[in-house]
Amino acid sequence: MLLLSYSTDFVSCISKYVKIHESSNCIFFDLTQETLKELQIFINDTENDKCQDSVALDSRDDYKSKDAAESETSEDPPNKRAKLETSITDVQSEEEAAAVDKSKDGDSRVCVVCLGILQGLCGTTQAIKIAEAVKAGNYEFDTLVLSVSLPAQLCVREHSCWLYVKKEVREKGLVLDKDDVIQVKEAFKWIMQGMVTKELGGIAVVTKVSPFEVSVEFTHPETDADCHFLAATCPDCFKPTKNKQSVFTRMAVVKALEKIPDAKFLKHYPCPPTQPTSSCSPQVQCLHVSVFVAGRYNKFCRSLPQTPWVIDGERRMESSVEELIAAPILSAFRADGFNFSSSGREDVDVRTLGNGRPFAMELLNPHKSRFSKEQMKQLQETINQSSDKIKVRDLQIVTREAMSRMKEGEEEKTKSYTALVWTQKPIQREDISFIDDIKDLTLDQKTPLRVLHRRALAVRQRAIHSMSTRFLDSHHFYLRLKTQAGTYIKEFVHGDFGRTNPNLCQLLKTDTDILELDVESVDVDWPPPVPE
């Protein structure tokens, strides 16, 4: 008897909670059907056993009297159990529910908790829209993760309903923990994952990790109005940010709800929430994780910058190393954008020879992500045939973690250069031979004037490990240097008005300048070489 009483009260309490959603024909109500049905069957079976026992003890006339009494009161409002039975049997489709709602008072009623998300925005129609967005993007993927972004006020409304349900449950002498309540976001995912899988022809919608994410973002026009009272009660939780249109972010609202006492919340916000005037608006976005491509490039032109050269909003060069490499790669991967990085950079008038300079590209939201080694080799050939100013080698797909190896210990790496030097004073071969014997020369280099607009003023110590010379004529010679990465070679040659010490002018006791400079090698053992 105690178990029966407990179960009856429990179902009655749940029925009262479900009525909040039932009045709006919310799909969340459908989720509870199986559980409620099982509980109802259990109660009915128990009551039938009880009735059978009563028949054995009571007379037939007493039973008829009881039945007649029930018939006389049949026109009274149904009890909670009868209401539950009616609700279970009268399950409607999304379209039917919407039609019924719209017929009431000539307008649709939006659920006070989910703001319509679990009504018309959660079902076959929405699954078809999501699938169409995925197919339109023409992505390459095996699985996908369905993520959901809800308006911040949903936290407020869920909290209000939770306080209401907690009060009702407590009055029944029952215990219900907040963790037992299914959140709107989880309910949406449970409903939609199977539907989206079906619409995509069986492609798995996973719950953990996938490189492809389909995001459904819901927005609502009343977000600020619903959350406004929190700004007054918990002002320290809401701080303006440059990138956010509203201070009422989901994280900030959750933080405020954790701080505000229940009594204070109920003083400022209705429980249960008021009827919203409109439902949420969904927006579907697809995003594939970045793909990383690495390689080495040679630059053969002395009028080609590494990156687009724009000064005061005006472009100075028609192209760049970055653009010549990126254009074919972007096209092949069908990416929305990219980030280009390299192990150091050369000036616009400097060539990069030898094995080339390591570079890497992060491809943003690539629609195609799988390439065989042969396809990468073909892509490399496409880049090399597109221009005679650059050449790429060792092109390959790498991991995000491997990208860091290009920058690790960058200043400890060495680089080799060849410079064509001019001297004001005529020189002989013997005048420059002593340079070959200089080893590990330490320089103090103040930030060069030519880069002071983009680099902080500082004095940096750099090392020239070795030098060798090749005499040309009385005013020219070639200087080969092996230096610490980050050494300013031009400033070492001409002195930069004394900002680099020591410098070649001081060593030769005459003014010197650099006419040409080539990078011969960048000694970074990454990315690994790809066999031809």
Side-chain angles (χ1 to χ4, degrees):
M1 289 295 294
L2 179 61
L3 177 60
L4 174 60
S5 176
Y6 181 91
S7 301
T8 305
D9 289 343
F10 182 63
V11 173
S12 298
C13 186
I14 291 180
S15 298
K16 184 175 289 187
Y17 174 53
V18 170
K19 283 167 69 179
I20 298 173
H21 290 276
E22 181 190 4
S23 64
S24 303
N25 292 310
C26 186
I27 291 182
F28 177 81
F29 171 73
D30 295 338
L31 289 173
T32 65
Q33 300 306 308
E34 293 301 325
T35 303
L36 294 177
K37 188 182 294 184
E38 291 175 5
L39 288 171
Q40 189 64 46
I41 291 172
F42 168 76
I43 293 170
N44 290 339
D45 289 344
T46 308
E47 288 182 324
N48 289 336
D49 292 340
K50 179 183 174 183
C51 289
Q52 290 174 5
D53 293 340
S54 299
V55 168
L57 298 174
D58 298 338
S59 67
R60 185 180 185 87
D61 291 336
D62 291 337
Y63 178 80
K64 289 182 177 180
S65 175
K66 180 181 177 183
D67 188 58
E70 288 180 355
S71 299
E72 290 175 0
T73 59
S74 61
E75 296 189 3
D76 291 338
N79 60 29
K80 294 176 184 176
R81 193 183 309 154
K83 179 66 176 177
L84 181 62
E85 290 173 348
T86 303
S87 300
I88 291 174
T89 55
D90 295 339
V91 178
Q92 298 170 314
S93 67
E94 288 179 65
E95 292 76 16
E96 290 171 340
V100 170
D101 273 347
K102 200 163 187 178
S103 65
K104 296 177 181 178
D105 301 328
D107 195 9
S108 62
R109 299 183 64 189
V110 181
C111 174
V112 299
V113 185
C114 73
L115 299 176
I117 292 174
L118 300 182
Q119 290 173 288
L121 301 177
C122 182
T124 304
T125 302
Q126 187 65 22
I128 292 173
K129 290 181 180 179
I130 293 174
E132 287 176 348
V134 173
K135 293 173 183 177
N138 195 21
Y139 284 88
E140 189 177 71
F141 63 98
D142 295 319
T143 62
L144 67 86
V145 168
L146 183 65
S147 66
V148 183
S149 175
L150 304 179
Q153 86 228 58
L154 215 64
C155 299
V156 178
R157 288 179 169 268
E158 283 183 323
H159 187 68
S160 173
C161 286
W162 160 247
L163 295 179
Y164 175 78
V165 171
K166 186 169 66 171
K167 174 178 173 292
E168 293 293 323
V169 169
R170 187 175 297 159
E171 290 178 356
K172 296 295 181 181
L174 305 178
V175 177
L176 183 66
D177 190 78
K178 195 169 186 177
D179 292 338
D180 298 328
V181 179
I182 300 172
Q183 302 297 312
V184 172
K185 178 183 289 189
E186 296 307 315
F188 180 86
K189 288 183 179 180
W190 288 351
I191 297 169
M192 297 301 295
Q193 283 172 352
M195 293 184 179
V196 172
T197 295
K198 181 181 178 181
E199 295 300 329
L200 291 175
I203 292 177
V205 179
V206 299
T207 57
K208 294 183 179 179
V209 180
S210 173
F212 184 54
E213 176 184 356
V214 178
S215 171
V216 183
E217 181 181 4
F218 291 98
T219 57
H220 196 274
E222 299 172 13
T223 296
D224 286 5
D226 266 352
C227 300
H228 186 72
F229 75 99
L230 290 174
T233 55
C234 302
D236 56 320
C237 296
F238 303 96
K239 297 179 181 179
T241 57
K242 293 181 179 179
N243 299 327
K244 300 291 184 180
Q245 294 182 348
S246 172
V247 295
F248 298 112
T249 63
R250 189 172 181 84
M251 187 176 296
V253 169
V254 169
K255 185 178 179 181
L257 291 175
E258 290 174 350
K259 294 180 65 175
I260 187 172
D262 290 350
K264 196 172 184 179
F265 177 88
L266 294 173
K267 183 179 179 181
H268 292 88
Y269 197 83
C271 178
T274 57
Q275 185 74 36
T277 59
S278 61
S279 61
C280 289
S281 299
Q283 183 178 5
V284 181
Q285 291 183 329
C286 301
L287 182 67
H288 196 288
V289 297
S290 296
V291 172
F292 299 89
V293 174
R296 287 175 173 263
Y297 73 80
N298 292 112
K299 175 177 154 247
F300 306 118
C301 178
R302 295 196 185 277
S303 60
L304 184 69
Q306 187 193 61
T307 56
W309 196 4
V310 180
I311 300 177
D312 296 331
E314 182 180 348
R315 181 157 189 156
R316 295 300 178 91
M317 299 287 180
E318 63 179 12
S319 189
S320 64
V321 173
E322 174 186 293
E323 292 167 293
L324 291 175
I325 295 175
I329 294 178
L330 275 178
S331 176
F333 282 82
R334 292 188 279 122
D336 290 349
F338 70 95
N339 292 317
F340 185 91
S341 60
S342 64
S343 180
R345 58 186 297 140
E346 67 282 323
D347 292 335
V348 61
D349 58 347
V350 176
R351 297 187 302 179
T352 300
L353 309 176
N355 288 334
R357 185 185 297 276
F359 73 92
M361 285 181 60
E362 178 186 9
L363 299 171
L364 307 175
N365 193 25
H367 292 52
K368 181 175 174 59
S369 56
R370 291 179 229 150
F371 282 77
S372 65
K373 291 182 178 180
E374 185 60 35
Q375 288 174 319
M376 291 302 293
K377 189 175 293 186
Q378 292 175 358
L379 179 56
Q380 176 177 293
E381 188 62 27
T382 299
I383 297 171
N384 293 338
Q385 290 178 355
S386 66
S387 174
D388 59 358
K389 296 179 179 180
I390 64 163
K391 183 179 180 181
V392 169
R393 62 192 302 163
D394 300 332
L395 193 67
Q396 57 196 279
I397 296 176
V398 297
T399 63
R400 180 187 290 272
E401 292 72 26
M403 290 273 290
S404 61
R405 294 185 57 187
M406 186 175 69
K407 297 293 184 180
E408 283 178 0
E410 193 173 62
E411 292 190 355
E412 283 69 42
K413 301 296 183 181
T414 59
K415 296 181 180 181
S416 299
Y417 302 88
T418 298
L420 176 59
V421 180
W422 167 87
T423 63
Q424 184 182 41
K425 184 178 70 176
I427 57 171
Q428 298 296 323
R429 193 182 303 272
E430 312 73 72
D431 296 330
I432 59 173
S433 59
F434 75 95
I435 295 176
D436 298 356
D437 300 325
I438 297 176
K439 306 295 181 185
D440 296 322
L441 178 66
T442 300
L443 309 180
D444 290 326
Q445 292 197 300
K446 190 177 290 187
T447 305
L449 294 173
R450 63 188 174 88
V451 299
L452 197 55
H453 65 284
R454 57 182 173 85
R455 296 209 64 181
L457 177 62
V459 177
R460 300 172 179 84
Q461 281 200 338
R462 295 291 184 265
I464 297 180
H465 300 298
S466 64
M467 292 184 284
S468 61
T469 59
R470 182 161 64 90
F471 181 79
L472 287 178
D473 57 45
S474 58
H475 287 280
H476 302 88
F477 69 95
Y478 281 112
L479 176 65
R480 185 173 176 83
L481 311 93
K482 187 173 185 179
T483 74
Q484 177 185 352
T487 303
Y488 291 107
I489 305 302
K490 291 179 177 179
E491 281 64 31
F492 168 69
V493 172
H494 58 62
D496 197 24
F497 300 100
R499 298 169 69 86
T500 291
N501 289 291
N503 56 63
L504 195 58
C505 297
Q506 295 169 343
L507 295 177
L508 292 177
K509 297 181 173 55
T510 183
D511 288 342
T512 58
D513 204 354
I514 188 166
L515 304 181
E516 291 179 353
L517 180 63
D518 292 332
V519 179
E520 298 290 351
S521 70
V522 179
D523 302 326
V524 177
D525 57 351
W526 188 89
V530 176
E532 293 293 337

